[in-house]
Amino acid sequence: MTICVTATSGSLDAPIDPRFGRCAYFVIVDPDTMKFEAVPNQAAGAMGGAGIQAGQTIANKGVEAVISGNFGPNAYQTLAAAGIKMVSGAYGTVREAVEMYKRGKLGVTGGATVAAHAGAGAGMGGGGGMGTGMGGGRGMGRGGGMGMGRGMFGMQPTQSIPPVAPSTSTSTSTSTSTQPVDQRIQGLERQMEDLGEEIKKIKRMLEDLKG
């Protein structure tokens, strides 16, 4: 049986590197004899997919268990597919971690212990509006927008841009300023009449409620 421990350097007394995919070294140990092999992690500086590359390296070494601080989802899937046990939460030196594992003080994890650290970001949005005016003034507007995005390097996804609520304004359009004065007067008078009717309706409703 061989155990792999992620480490900051290639020795039994090296501190554990808590990052699996981007650790400095893999120290592969025979727990019975404590003989070991130090393997530099070629995936440590990868732009992406470090967990997958590191997992493939370990699988090719034929190890049965990996001891580290944490495992991301890509690393977990790669190691699980190879039938390799993953032990998280280890601390101290490589030697100490192996001894703790032998004494049953470290448990096997059943899933990824951290979220993915790499991603792609994108976003888009759009909107529009229009308005018309005539007579005493009647306006209508509408607009919309949407946005979507994914975070980069652990950042939270950006929120979508909320759609703009349809406008219900009844204010006089600026286009009425080009109309003849008498037409503008007539339009304003119609507005006053409409408002008067609305006020009467409100008064009746209040009277009904008051009994």
Side-chain angles (χ1 to χ4, degrees), residues 62-90:
V63 302
E64 298 179 35
V66 177
I67 300 174
S68 186
N70 288 292
F71 297 91
N74 291 335
Y76 178 82
Q77 292 177 7
T78 303
L79 294 171
I84 299 173
K85 298 177 182 178
M86 284 158 277
V87 181
S88 64

Side-chain angles (χ1 to χ4, degrees), residues 17-23 50-52 68-77 79 86-90 109-118 153-154 156:
D17 193 326
R19 307 163 300 170
F20 172 76
R22 297 189 183 278
C23 68
I52 297 174
S68 186
N70 288 292
F71 297 91
N74 291 335
Y76 178 82
Q77 292 177 7
L79 294 171
M86 284 158 277
V87 181
S88 64
T109 182
T113 58
V114 291
H117 294 295
F153 300 105
Q156 293 293 327

Side-chain angles (χ1 to χ4, degrees), residues 58-150:
I58 296 306
N60 292 336
K61 289 292 182 179
V63 302
E64 298 179 35
V66 177
I67 300 174
S68 186
N70 288 292
F71 297 91
N74 291 335
Y76 178 82
Q77 292 177 7
T78 303
L79 294 171
I84 299 173
K85 298 177 182 178
M86 284 158 277
V87 181
S88 64
Y91 57 90
T93 65
V94 173
R95 190 189 306 274
E96 291 170 341
V98 173
E99 290 298 329
M100 285 189 288
Y101 181 73
K102 289 166 62 176
R103 292 196 297 267
K105 293 186 176 182
L106 296 176
V108 177
T109 182
T113 58
V114 291
H117 294 295
M124 64 179 183
M130 65 180 184
T132 59
M134 59 182 295
R138 182 173 60 189
M140 175 178 69
R142 64 182 182 183
M146 64 179 181
M148 62 182 181
R150 291 181 295 171

Side-chain angles (χ1 to χ4, degrees), residues 34 60 90 94 104 107 110 131 141 164 173 195:
M34 294 305 290
N60 292 336
V94 173
V164 179
S173 170
L195 290 172

Side-chain angles (χ1 to χ4, degrees), residues 133-139 169-177 184 188 191:
M134 59 182 295
R138 182 173 60 189
S169 172
T170 57
S171 60
T172 306
S173 170
T174 55
S175 62
T176 59
S177 61
R184 293 173 61 188
L188 291 172
Q191 279 191 324

